[in-house]
């Protein structure tokens, strides 16, 4: 076997796994970067912070199903670890490489060094050190294997040397690549036949069943099978916020997102169901509005790839362990379509609940008010983002607005959301655009969300990452308004306002100054033109929408 450097080995392996971009703040694995440039076409996106590098890798991973790679030298390692938190919560396959301790110098107060490895423990599935150059091949393979297998998630490898200088050393190595682990899912475990039959029996007997589909359905690429089964058995579908793109909002069986950042009809339908079938969702606090929708004790079925998830939160009538796509295809092949007749009255009730939601919010969705209503921005996005768009939403109010008010129009559109971290969406949108340069990417964020990583506008310009970012600019984090009013005795005070308001800034101007396209929208009727112009420009773009500081998203209903 030939002697090669760790840098050559790593560059060849990343290329072999199909990696097209890596995201980092220099300087880490410098020789690997030089080898990447010589031996591969991988783009080396250097960012303005390690956290945003991790978010870009996360957006890349969620948009493509392929691991996203981010890196930091030792002093930036904890910033990178912080950025893995959302990927961990969202089950996104991000691989983080950091520089780290050298056996020759550790415990001697080396410049910039602390023991970073423990900080990665709570946010990774595999957290390990590469101390000897001969371990590059097996450790990198294991990193990919773990990131994409089972429930996907982040992985961390710390390379010896504050900048990972172990990559300069040589060993006899083969840069072996296992293509099976280059994307999610590497395996499609088949369910036990009996468990499929019992789940079907329970579903078919139900008079008011609902499916709650989660991120596991999108990870498995099982949206088509999900919709076909729902149609065959006449079962309405709610989704988690993470699973929103499993069914188009325009589909007659779609009732919307259920949970805390949700649509009223989603919560009402799930609360009224006599059976809830969870597919690819942990049925966690966010998706169930802290286990009130549905109430614990409802008859439930759960299908998941992770045995520990099945039955964790709701006692079950039936549980199925398996890949979502394979399981749903088997259910479809075996199901009794005639049982659908049993659910005619239920479907009528579901239709009424959905129509009631639309009537209740019609005025806001169509509002011509100035400053602009966020509901109208969501409605404009529902109508005007292209058929193959990837749409991202930040958390907080952005998640509430988009979870409740935005609709996908078809199966070729994708939706990704922050799993809780404010500021995730803007850099994640840039990562998504790197992963899918041919697809339009549109990110919805508040101004507080944009401020977090606004420096990455320069990164987007430098690498011409032509994602479009729509800013719900109310010069505040007004989702916090109600809470601070309560803290100040139930009324809004000037001192209370200090805690959630910001300077009024024209982000379109900031964007133009940095070299991106900036468009400011002050009237709702101008939004669609701005969106089309931004998408057509093929440049990074900010659409700064001046919105109503008094607009507060509706709170989730419990039934
Ligand atoms: C890392 C992180 N810190 C704090 C929060 C709490 N938080 C949620 S929403 C929000 C304000 C959001 O403001 P903005 O993005 O401008 O949207 P708006 O509420 O104005 O619509 C904050 C501070 C969070 N979700 N994540």
């Amino acid at each position: 076997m030939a002697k090669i450097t760790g840098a050559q080995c790593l560059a060849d392996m990343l290329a072999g796994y199909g990696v097209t971009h890596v995201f980092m703040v220099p300087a880490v694995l410098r020789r690997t970067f030089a080898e990447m440039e010589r031996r591969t076409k991988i783009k080396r996106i250097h960012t303005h912070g390690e956290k945003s590098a991790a978010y870009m890798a996360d957006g890349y991973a969620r948009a493509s199903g392929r691991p996203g790679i981010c890196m930091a030298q030792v002093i930036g390692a904890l910033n990178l670890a912080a950025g893995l938190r959302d990927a961990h919560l969202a089950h996104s396959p991000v691989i983080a490489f950091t520089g780290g301790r050298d056996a020759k110098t550790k415990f001697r107060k080396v410049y910039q060094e602390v023991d970073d490895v423990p900080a990665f423990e709570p946010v990774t599935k595999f957290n390990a050190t590469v101390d000897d150059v001969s371990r590059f091949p097996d450790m990198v393979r294991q990193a990919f294997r773990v990131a994409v297998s089972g429930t996907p998630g982040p992985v961390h490898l710390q390379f010896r040397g504050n900048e990972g200088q172990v990559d300069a050393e040589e060993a006899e190595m083969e840069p072996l690549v296992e293509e099976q682990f280059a994307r999610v899912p590497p395996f499609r475990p088949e369910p036990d036949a009996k468990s499929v039959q019992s789940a079907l029996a329970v579903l078919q007997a139900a008079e008011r069943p609902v499916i709650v589909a989660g991120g596991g359905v999108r990870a498995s690429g099982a949206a088509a099978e999900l919709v076909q089964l729902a149609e065959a058995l006449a079962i309405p579908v709610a989704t988690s916020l993470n699973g929103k793109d499993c069914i188009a909002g325009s589909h007659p069986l779609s009732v919307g997102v259920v949970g805390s950042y949700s649509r009223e009809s989603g919560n009402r339908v799930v609360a009224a169901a006599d059976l809830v079938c969870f597919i690819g969702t942990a049925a966690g606090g966010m998706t169930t509005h802290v286990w009130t929708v549905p109430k614990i004790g409802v008859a439930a079925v759960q299908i998941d790839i992770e045995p520990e998830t099945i039955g964790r939160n709701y006692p079950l009538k039936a549980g199925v362990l398996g890949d979502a796509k394979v399981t749903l295809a088997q259910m479809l092949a075996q199901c009794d379509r005639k049982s659908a007749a049993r659910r005619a009255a239920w479907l009528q009730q579901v239709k009424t609940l959905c129509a009631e939601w639309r009537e209740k919010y019609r005025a806001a969705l169509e509002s011509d008010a100035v400053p602009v209503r966020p509901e109208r921005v969501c409605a404009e996005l529902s109508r005007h983002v292209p058929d193959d768009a990837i749409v991202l939403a930040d958390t907080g109010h952005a998640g509430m607005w988009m979870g409740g008010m935005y609709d996908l129009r078809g199966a070729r559109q994708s939706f990704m959301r922050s799993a809780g971290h404010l500021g995730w969406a803007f850099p994640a949108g840039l990562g998504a655009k790197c992963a899918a340069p041919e697809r339009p990417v549109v990110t919805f964020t508040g101004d507080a969300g944009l401020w977090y990583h606004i420096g990455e506008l320069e990164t987007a310009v430098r690498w011409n990452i032509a994602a479009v970012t729509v800013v719900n600019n109310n010069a505040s984090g007004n989702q916090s308004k109600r809470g601070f009013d309560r803290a100040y005795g139930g009324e809004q005070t000037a001192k209370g306002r200090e805690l959630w308001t910001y300077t009024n800034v024209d982000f379109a101007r900031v964007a133009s100054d940095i070299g991106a396209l900036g468009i400011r929208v002050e009237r709702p009727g101008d939004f669609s033109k701005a969106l089309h112009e931004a998408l057509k420009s093929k440049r990074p773009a900010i659409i700064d929408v001046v919105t109503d500081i008094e607009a507060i998203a509706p709170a989730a209903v419990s039934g």
Side-chain angles (χ1 to χ4, degrees):
M1 207 183 289
K3 263 195 167 182
I4 54 172
T5 63
Q8 290 168 334
C9 182
L10 186 52
D12 286 354
M13 287 184 79
L14 293 179
Y17 276 99
V19 172
T20 58
H21 296 70
V22 296
F23 306 93
M24 51 44 209
V25 175
V28 58
L29 296 165
R30 291 182 202 248
R31 284 172 186 77
T32 302
F33 282 105
E35 294 296 349
M36 265 185 218
E37 190 274 319
R38 290 185 196 116
R39 306 164 82 89
T40 79
K41 294 197 166 69
I42 297 172
K43 292 207 168 110
R44 303 153 303 165
I45 311 290
H46 51 305
T47 68
H48 292 290
E50 292 83 5
K51 178 149 61 76
S52 45
Y55 288 168
M56 287 183 203
D58 186 1
Y60 179 101
R62 294 195 214 178
S64 63
R66 307 174 82 91
I69 313 288
C70 55
M71 310 188 193
Q73 71 181 70
V74 72
I75 191 62
L78 292 194
N79 297 342
L80 198 70
L84 295 186
R85 209 171 178 282
D86 213 83
H88 166 71
L89 293 170
H91 309 302
S92 170
V94 175
I95 299 179
F97 296 152
T98 62
R101 304 177 103 179
D102 194 324
K104 287 196 186 121
T105 53
K106 64 183 178 183
F107 310 123
R108 297 185 64 190
K109 298 281 175 210
V110 174
Y111 181 51
Q112 296 181 328
E113 187 179 285
V114 297
D115 181 6
D116 297 306
V117 174
F120 284 86
E121 202 57 31
V123 293
T124 54
K125 292 175 71 187
F126 179 54
N127 179 26
T129 59
V130 182
D131 306 308
D132 189 282
V133 71
S134 67
R135 300 297 305 278
F136 273 53
D138 74 288
M139 292 300 277
V140 173
R141 284 206 306 282
Q142 187 65 4
F144 276 85
R145 188 190 327 281
V146 176
V148 299
S149 295
T151 301
V155 164
H156 170 231
L157 292 184
Q158 186 194 73
F159 290 82
R160 172 165 56 77
N162 64 336
E163 297 176 4
Q165 291 91 330
V166 63
D167 72 344
E169 296 173 17
E170 281 189 336
E172 286 182 3
M173 297 184 280
E174 188 186 352
L176 186 67
V177 165
E178 295 162 327
E179 273 175 36
Q180 181 182 1
F181 300 100
R183 60 159 48 251
V184 175
F187 297 106
R188 292 195 178 275
E190 301 232 351
D192 176 72
K194 275 213 196 87
S195 70
V196 171
Q197 284 154 17
S198 12
L200 265 181
V202 179
L203 264 179
Q204 287 163 181
E207 288 186 358
R208 299 191 315 280
V210 66
I211 290 171
V212 175
V217 174
R218 79 187 302 272
S220 170
E225 288 78 6
L226 171 82
V227 173
Q228 284 165 31
L229 184 72
E231 287 169 353
L233 292 180
I235 302 178
V237 179
T239 70
S240 69
L241 190 53
N242 195 21
K244 187 170 165 75
D245 59 6
C246 295
I247 184 165
S250 51
H251 191 287
L253 289 172
S254 166
V255 301
V257 173
V258 62
S260 300
Y261 292 177
S262 59
R263 178 175 291 182
E264 192 169 316
S265 51
N267 283 18
R268 290 216 188 283
V269 169
V270 173
D274 65 353
L275 175 81
V276 180
C277 177
F278 296 105
I279 310 178
T281 167
M286 192 68 175
T287 302
T288 59
H289 197 37
V290 205
W291 304 287
T292 59
V293 186
K295 291 204 168 41
I296 306 267
V298 70
V301 170
Q302 192 162 13
I303 301 165
D304 207 274
I305 200 166
E306 193 65 53
E308 291 165 24
T309 293
I310 299 171
R312 182 203 300 238
N313 287 320
Y314 289 86
L316 301 176
K317 298 282 177 213
V320 185
L321 177 66
D323 169 66
K325 192 179 180 79
V326 170
T327 303
L328 287 166
Q330 290 189 7
M331 290 172 80
L332 185 65
Q334 295 171 33
C335 72
D336 171 17
R337 290 166 191 259
K338 289 198 296 293
S339 74
R342 185 170 294 141
R343 290 175 277 281
W346 171 231
L347 286 197
Q348 205 46 52
Q349 189 184 341
V350 166
K351 204 171 148 187
T352 306
L353 288 170
C354 293
E356 280 172 7
W357 173 81
R358 208 161 281 282
E359 270 320 302
K360 185 167 170 183
Y361 290 100
R362 185 180 300 283
L365 290 162
E366 294 174 1
S367 169
D368 285 323
V370 176
V372 182
R373 291 290 307 189
E375 296 93 327
R376 173 74 189 267
V377 180
C378 295
E380 291 290 314
L381 289 170
S382 303
R383 251 194 305 278
H384 295 290
V385 295
D387 291 343
D388 57 344
I390 299 173
V391 172
L392 296 92
D394 211 41
T395 194
H397 240 161
M400 292 178 87
W401 291 125
M402 290 292 277
M405 306 290 166
Y406 170 71
D407 274 320
L408 288 95
R409 296 192 313 271
R412 287 169 58 221
Q413 293 180 326
S414 306
F415 180 82
M416 295 154 36
R417 60 80 172 103
S418 164
H421 294 86
L422 194 65
W424 172 87
F426 171 57
L430 300 182
K433 185 68 186 173
C434 292
E438 72 293 347
R439 293 181 68 184
V441 171
V442 180
T443 299
F444 181 95
T445 177
D447 52 311
L450 182 69
W451 277 121
Y452 266 79
H453 304 109
I454 197 164
E456 304 305 346
L457 254 175
E458 191 277 334
T459 308
V461 169
R462 186 163 21 90
W463 287 95
N464 194 28
I465 305 170
V468 175
T469 304
V470 176
V471 188
N472 171 24
N473 186 1
N474 48 23
S476 73
N478 73 340
Q479 188 194 30
S480 304
K481 170 178 141 148
R482 272 187 294 222
F484 283 120
D485 291 354
R486 273 197 299 274
Y488 274 84
E491 59 180 282
Q492 198 177 127
T493 67
K495 286 291 164 200
R497 260 179 95 87
E498 279 175 11
L499 298 170
W500 56 272
T501 52
Y502 306 112
T503 312
N504 210 331
V505 168
D506 179 344
F507 291 107
R509 230 173 65 200
V510 174
S512 307
D513 280 355
I514 295 177
L517 175 66
I519 308 174
R520 191 150 163 104
V521 171
E522 290 173 335
R523 287 185 307 273
D526 296 338
F527 182 83
S528 63
K529 197 167 134 267
L531 182 65
H532 289 125
E533 187 186 336
L535 288 166
K536 218 173 75 203
S537 75
K538 308 274 182 220
R539 291 167 60 198
I542 296 282
I543 302 177
D544 186 45
V545 189
V546 182
T547 57
D548 187 355
I549 196 168
E550 298 303 328
I552 301 290
V557 297
S558 294

